[in-house]
Amino acid sequence: MTTPVPLDRAKLLAARYRAAEARPYLASALYALTVVLSERVSTMAVDRYWRCYVAPAFVDATPVDELAGVWIHEAAHLLRDHHGRADRLPAAEQRDHRRVNIAQDCEINDDLLTDGLRLPPGRMEPRLFGLPGGRLFEEYLRNLPVSLPHPPDCGSGAHGVPAPWDLGEPSGTGTAGLGPVEAEALRRTTAQAVRAHTRTRGTVPAGWRRWAEEVLEPTVDWRKALTGAVREAAAWAGGAVDYTYRRPSRRTPALGGRVVLPSLRRPLPRVAVVVDTSGSMGDDDLAAALAEVSGVLREV
């Protein structure tokens, strides 16, 4: 039986310090991560509550400068809200969380390597799959080949699927973690630090600059928002999902009339699509608007 390797906490924290010193705009995010020792992870992984699960053997075998890169890699999964974005993927893509994780690693590692950071061998990069750099993981996901390697699992903080080592939601008696509101505030704080660093102290990789601008000045993809709203309304009306007392349940007499149970009803929402047809709208504008509406209807 293999003797467990004790966690070299001094080495691990020295690597975090080096990462924060080299990339000060990420310091708040790095120090927000709660370290959790785990023999069940192969390297390092995060959950959506900003806990960082660490394998002692990995820390022991990895140089400090590469550990610093892994610290930034794991923090990047959370800063870029990879688990939240993964939750919004189509169900078919969500099921293959290993594939999602590889695409996310390609998005992150491309930026980190361009920034001169060192990462351990076996890292995932876009060039390994013949893909260009500087893309988001959603684009990489669509273009990854069918046959893929088996890299380490970065955890539910990346792909969104609960991992065997996850501790669950933070509680008063459990290991500390960040909730959604705190995490979003930390993202904004880090984005402001990225912007300030760009303006006053030096250059920041393009991927981080783009991320910071999206956090501080978000642009809503109205096509996705509209499609999601229509799809939700259609699903809501797809069955008996609401209760009403207008017609009591058929099981009410069985209770002797002492309790009146509601019956299920099928809601029938009325959906309207409003298109501006004023004089400011030309033929091309009207055609584009109707084409978008047709596209949404095809999606649902």
Side-chain angles (χ1 to χ4, degrees), residues 6 13 25 32 38 43 46 71 74 86 91 94 102 122 130 141 145 147 176-177 199 228 263 294:
L13 298 184
Y25 46 87
S38 177
T43 55
V46 289
W71 268 111
E74 298 302 337
Q94 288 184 34
I102 291 174
L141 184 60
S147 179
R199 292 175 176 174
S263 61
S294 298

Side-chain angles (χ1 to χ4, degrees), residues 16-254:
R16 177 162 65 175
Y17 175 80
R18 177 174 292 190
E21 186 178 39
R23 306 295 181 271
Y25 46 87
L26 301 178
S28 295
L30 290 166
Y31 284 110
L33 289 164
T34 299
V35 175
V36 179
L37 184 152
S38 177
E39 297 286 353
R40 306 184 74 176
V41 299
S42 58
T43 55
M44 291 169 64
V46 289
D47 66 16
R48 63 180 66 215
Y49 303 109
W50 288 70
R51 301 188 189 100
C52 185
Y53 301 86
V54 180
F58 174 72
V59 174
D60 185 63
T62 306
V64 170
D65 55 348
E66 292 182 4
L67 275 178
V70 177
W71 268 111
I72 294 177
H73 174 97
E74 298 302 337
H77 279 303
L78 296 168
L79 285 171
R80 300 184 185 200
D81 192 27
H82 275 177
H83 57 276
R85 288 159 58 188
D87 290 344
R88 295 189 288 272
L89 291 171
E93 293 181 349
Q94 288 184 34
R95 282 194 289 269
D96 192 347
H97 69 271
R98 180 174 64 90
R99 188 180 182 86
V100 172
N101 201 161
I102 291 174
Q104 293 168 336
D105 284 354
C106 286
E107 176 190 317
I108 293 172
N109 292 343
D110 177 56
D111 289 340
L112 302 193
L113 293 170
T114 301
D115 196 24
L117 292 168
R118 291 191 60 189
L119 293 171
R123 59 186 176 266
M124 296 294 100
E125 304 175 48
R127 65 176 183 84
L128 298 178
F129 309 106
L131 300 175
R135 303 293 195 270
L136 298 178
F137 89 77
E138 290 87 349
E139 182 174 344
Y140 288 133
L141 184 60
R142 293 193 297 268
N143 295 293
L144 286 174
V146 175
S147 179
L148 292 170
H150 288 74
D153 188 338
C154 288
S156 59
H159 49 65
V161 177
W165 52 80
D166 280 358
L167 297 179
E169 294 188 29
S171 63
T173 58
T175 304
L178 298 186
V181 175
E182 296 167 303
E184 188 58 33
L186 182 56
R187 289 188 188 99
R188 291 192 63 83
T189 299
T190 305
Q192 290 167 350
V194 169
R195 178 182 281 181
H197 187 88
T198 303
R199 292 175 176 174
T200 62
R201 298 184 60 183
T203 60
V204 173
W208 283 116
R209 292 199 308 271
R210 178 183 62 196
W211 168 80
E213 293 305 317
E214 289 176 353
V215 169
L216 298 175
E217 299 176 12
T219 301
V220 177
D221 187 338
W222 64 268
R223 293 176 179 84
K224 289 184 179 179
L226 180 58
T227 301
V230 175
R231 184 182 290 118
E232 182 180 5
W236 185 60
V241 296
D242 199 8
Y243 290 94
T244 179
Y245 282 95
R246 289 185 178 181
R247 177 181 295 176
S249 171
R250 288 178 293 179
R251 292 182 294 172
T252 296

